[in-house]
Amino acid sequence: MAYHYTKALELPSYYWALSAWHGVRMDISFAGYLLVLPTLLMAFTFKRFNWYKSFIHSYSLLTTFIIALLVCVDLELFRAWGFRIDATSLHYLQSPREAWASMSSAPVGFILSIGLFLFGISYWLLTRIAARTLPQLRPLSPIISLLFFIIAAAAWIIPIRGGLQLAPMNQSTVYFSEESFANYAAVNVPWNYSSSLIHQTYNKDNPFRYLPDSTARQKTRALYDDQVPQLTLVDSGRINVIVLIWESFTAKIVGTLGGLPGITPQFDQLAQEGILFTNIYASGDRSDKGMVSILSGYPAQPTRSIIKIPTKTLHLPSLPKNFKQQGYSTAFYYGGETEFANMKSYFLQQKFDNIVDIHAFNKSDMNSKWGAHDHVVLNRFLSDLDHAPQPFFNTLFTLSSHEPFEVPVPTVIAGTSQEKLFLNALHYTDRSIGDFVAAAKTKPWWKNTLLVIIADHGHPMPATEAGKPSQFHIPMLWLGGALKNTGLRINTLASQTDLASTLLHQLGKSSHDFEWSNDIFDSHRQNFAYFAFNNGFGWVRPQGYLIHDNIGGNIIGKEGNINPAELENGKAYLQTSFGDYLSR
């Protein structure tokens, strides 16, 4: 903050303290990593410990030098890159001459002076501490040493993962503000660099390169159309928007879509009152992928998840950011930990004014693992909407239909198998949403509101025939007083990513920034759906589908009259979308 004082002065002064306070957990986490090796080696000092003194001095020298180097280099690279140093810097090792040339305008002498000072003062302090403590070591019996080894090794897990919460340490743990610089200041540099190395965010090699890049891009862009459809099903004006994201809401359990009857009676009834989209596919197989697909219209990656890398999500378009720019208030509600899968950093970047999560609810309203039950969060959401500045764009994410499927109501779907518990949890969430909609209809803001209910992803249960895309088939329903037409069924084949463009066009807004989103009502659109799973992808067209295994390079599922050219289209889409991910 001192080095980039001009940016620091743009923040309220109390943000300086907040950045330090929120960053402490990541500092402690990395300190835990550093202390693992010395702690474990201490278990072998029961006979002799003079060697351990030498090790501590060498270890302190090496780690202090590396950390001081990272910190001082980060100071200037942040000015050029706009984010904290990560393993992307390894690319410069391939061209050291260009790297040195790029540093010509940097105050190299001043930076090196800072690095030497940090290294000198830190190493001096460590050696002073070692000089006072290491002489106190005494030989221990092998049994006590082994016991110490076990206890110490287990104890470091807690600070390393950042505490006892469900989500382990990630950038979201220290992000706390819409101000990017305040969040970046809270990040621990060596932790960030190590995390980047582990997750290989520096790697720009596309493993899904099937065609020349220009050919793949041409085939992919041919699937999109920029025309704005004339069909308008939503009232004009500044309409309130609610996006309700339903955990694991697979079409396989929706009776009105041909799924199991009796699991979602409330949704089946509401489908008669709104606009039901019957042929929508999730872009990915996890919540973190679905969140970005829904809010940013961005396709999922097979082996990565863009939401876990804040430097990549920072420049993604998003619905909350778009509505915020147009004067809407924005909020995100979730009964669990928003730090999970690094979601909170993404929500802050996308300009949600208010984030309500597990910390806003009483422990008595929690299940044993994830957080507050769905009806509790929906009731809080309903109450807050009465006081929300209008127009608003608010999002709510349910959680009760996630494993372990714990619900605070009597069992309706009998049975103790995982599938029965899953169905029972979905039935509970269905009732909670039905109660929410019934209450919302009595509110004055309902007549000017559009409610979108959509799943974050599908689910393997109930079990279906392997090699079919039904696991990714999800419902989407539009409700609210802002609808001009009700009782409609839209059977167009589309993707979860298409919500962004469709919604914005219905409200008379531009979707130019959402290049991976295709308006469902565009009569000129190419009807397709792409979905990614762990190292594989599915490609769905009106005439059929295919599912490709990226590891074996073979088709593991196929149905309908789908020609070989469609496999090339699917590969081109994967190559281009993953290339876009790598380039961000």
Side-chain angles (χ1 to χ4, degrees):
M1 281 193 157
Y3 193 85
H4 296 282
Y5 68 92
T6 54
K7 288 184 176 292
L9 291 174
E10 294 173 0
L11 301 174
S13 56
Y14 66 91
Y15 268 42
W16 308 344
L18 285 176
S19 290
W21 174 250
H22 284 273
V24 162
R25 286 176 66 185
M26 189 174 282
D27 297 338
I28 293 173
S29 175
F30 192 73
Y33 280 111
L34 288 178
L35 287 166
V36 166
L37 183 59
T39 303
L40 297 183
L41 290 179
M42 192 177 287
F44 299 97
T45 61
F46 60 88
K47 286 187 176 180
R48 299 176 59 190
F49 50 84
N50 287 333
W51 66 269
Y52 187 76
K53 297 176 183 178
S54 300
F55 161 75
I56 286 294
H57 283 287
S58 300
Y59 186 72
S60 300
L61 181 69
L62 178 63
T63 55
T64 305
F65 174 77
I66 293 173
I67 292 172
L69 178 65
L70 284 173
V71 169
C72 69
V73 171
D74 169 73
L75 291 175
E76 189 60 28
L77 284 183
F78 181 81
R79 190 191 309 279
W81 291 359
F83 56 87
R84 306 303 295 269
I85 187 173
D86 59 19
T88 306
S89 58
L90 293 177
H91 290 293
Y92 288 103
L93 297 179
Q94 300 173 1
S95 51
R97 182 177 299 177
E98 288 79 1
W100 181 255
S102 66
M103 293 178 59
S104 58
S105 60
V108 177
F110 183 50
I111 293 172
L112 289 177
S113 299
I114 294 174
L116 288 172
F117 171 77
L118 292 174
F119 168 73
I121 193 70
S122 301
Y123 183 65
W124 178 79
L125 283 169
L126 286 172
T127 53
R128 295 289 296 171
I129 294 169
R132 290 175 177 270
T133 56
L134 292 181
Q136 310 302 320
L137 289 177
R138 294 292 182 269
L140 298 173
S141 69
I143 295 177
I144 294 178
S145 294
L146 180 61
L147 183 64
F148 174 82
F149 172 87
I150 295 171
I151 295 174
W156 283 126
I157 295 174
I158 296 173
I160 283 173
R161 71 186 309 278
L164 298 173
Q165 75 288 342
L166 185 64
M169 174 62 62
N170 56 49
Q171 287 92 337
S172 282
T173 305
V174 301
Y175 274 41
F176 68 97
S177 167
E178 290 185 3
E179 299 291 342
S180 295
F181 181 73
N183 293 329
Y184 285 141
V187 171
N188 179 284
V189 171
W191 187 97
N192 192 62
Y193 198 89
S194 302
S195 175
S196 178
L197 279 173
I198 293 170
H199 293 101
Q200 295 188 353
T201 58
Y202 62 92
N203 192 345
K204 299 295 183 181
D205 295 328
N206 192 338
F208 309 114
R209 199 167 185 274
Y210 304 104
L211 304 165
D213 286 337
S214 58
T215 303
R217 281 194 297 269
Q218 184 179 12
K219 286 181 175 292
T220 301
R221 296 328 306 171
L223 296 167
Y224 290 87
D225 184 79
D226 294 331
Q227 296 190 38
V228 178
Q230 300 303 310
L231 177 65
T232 304
L233 301 176
V234 181
D235 288 338
S236 59
R238 294 168 71 78
I239 302 299
N240 299 318
V241 179
I242 299 172
V243 177
L244 198 162
I245 303 172
W246 189 336
E247 170 69 52
S248 303
F249 186 32
T250 171
K252 293 183 291 183
I253 54 88
V254 179
T256 192
L257 293 178
L260 294 179
I263 308 300
T264 58
Q266 296 292 327
F267 184 88
D268 292 340
Q269 177 60 41
L270 292 172
Q272 311 305 316
E273 305 173 13
I275 301 175
L276 178 65
F277 296 79
T278 66
N279 208 8
I280 305 295
Y281 285 82
S283 182
D285 54 354
R286 303 296 301 174
S287 299
D288 48 314
K289 298 178 181 181
M291 204 64 60
V292 178
S293 297
I294 293 169
L295 296 178
S296 291
Y298 197 74
Q301 301 80 47
T303 56
R304 310 278 179 86
S305 180
I306 193 171
I307 203 172
K308 296 180 180 179
I309 309 174
T311 54
K312 290 184 179 292
T313 55
L314 179 61
H315 301 294
L316 281 179
S318 73
L319 289 171
K321 188 186 296 184
N322 187 290
F323 280 94
K324 172 79 170 176
Q325 292 169 349
Q326 299 180 55
Y328 279 62
S329 64
T330 58
F332 186 91
Y333 285 72
Y334 178 50
E337 297 174 1
T338 50
E339 293 87 357
F340 186 76
N342 217 32
M343 292 191 296
K344 190 174 78 171
S345 66
Y346 171 73
F347 297 149
L348 288 168
Q349 288 174 342
Q350 306 314 320
K351 306 301 181 184
F352 278 113
D353 296 325
N354 189 26
I355 297 176
V356 178
D357 62 8
I358 192 171
H359 306 293
F361 301 97
N362 297 323
K363 289 186 177 181
S364 59
D365 294 324
M366 307 283 178
N367 62 32
S368 66
K369 183 173 182 179
W370 289 106
H373 295 292
D374 287 346
H375 80 277
V376 174
V377 181
L378 284 162
N379 288 341
R380 165 68 183 270
F381 185 49
L382 182 68
S383 176
D384 289 356
L385 286 173
D386 290 337
H387 311 287
Q390 297 189 46
F392 55 72
F393 177 90
N394 289 351
T395 302
L396 183 142
F397 181 28
T398 72
L399 59 70
S400 295
S401 45
H402 195 291
E403 293 89 344
F405 312 125
E406 295 175 331
V407 295
V409 293
T411 299
V412 176
I413 312 299
T416 57
S417 67
Q418 282 295 294
E419 182 170 307
K420 295 298 184 181
L421 293 174
F422 174 57
L423 297 178
N424 196 63
L426 287 164
H427 186 277
Y428 157 73
T429 300
D430 176 71
R431 192 177 79 175
S432 299
I433 291 175
D435 292 343
F436 167 79
V437 174
K441 289 177 179 177
T442 68
K443 303 292 184 178
W445 46 261
W446 177 259
K447 65 179 182 296
N448 193 44
T449 297
L450 171 66
L451 167 63
V452 177
I453 301 176
I454 188 171
D456 59 339
H457 54 79
H459 203 276
M461 296 187 293
T464 57
E465 184 180 344
K468 287 184 176 290
S470 55
Q471 179 179 333
F472 294 85
H473 185 201
I474 61 172
M476 181 168 72
L477 175 64
W478 289 15
L479 295 166
L483 288 179
K484 290 181 179 180
N485 304 79
T486 58
L488 300 180
R489 290 172 69 97
I490 307 299
N491 300 318
T492 304
L493 171 64
S495 169
Q496 193 180 42
T497 56
D498 295 332
L499 170 63
S501 179
T502 307
L503 176 61
L504 290 171
H505 287 168
Q506 285 297 306
L507 299 181
K509 306 178 189 302
S510 171
S511 67
H512 180 265
D513 293 336
F514 296 83
E515 60 179 319
W516 295 96
S517 187
N518 216 356
D519 194 315
I520 296 173
F521 296 117
D522 184 355
S523 59
H524 299 284
R525 66 173 270 133
Q526 291 277 343
N527 294 327
F528 74 94
Y530 161 89
F531 58 82
F533 54 94
N534 190 22
N535 227 359
F537 73 88
W539 187 251
V540 187
R541 295 287 257 172
Q543 65 270 27
Y545 70 84
L546 58 85
I547 301 176
H548 183 264
D549 174 18
N550 294 332
I551 299 176
N554 57 312
I555 302 296
I556 58 176
K558 184 179 179 181
E559 188 174 288
N561 185 25
I562 189 162
N563 60 51
E566 292 300 339
L567 174 59
E568 195 166 86
N569 283 334
K571 289 181 175 180
Y573 191 95
L574 169 59
Q575 177 178 332
T576 306
S577 61
F578 200 82
D580 184 90
Y581 157 83
L582 290 173
S583 67
R584 289 183 179 271

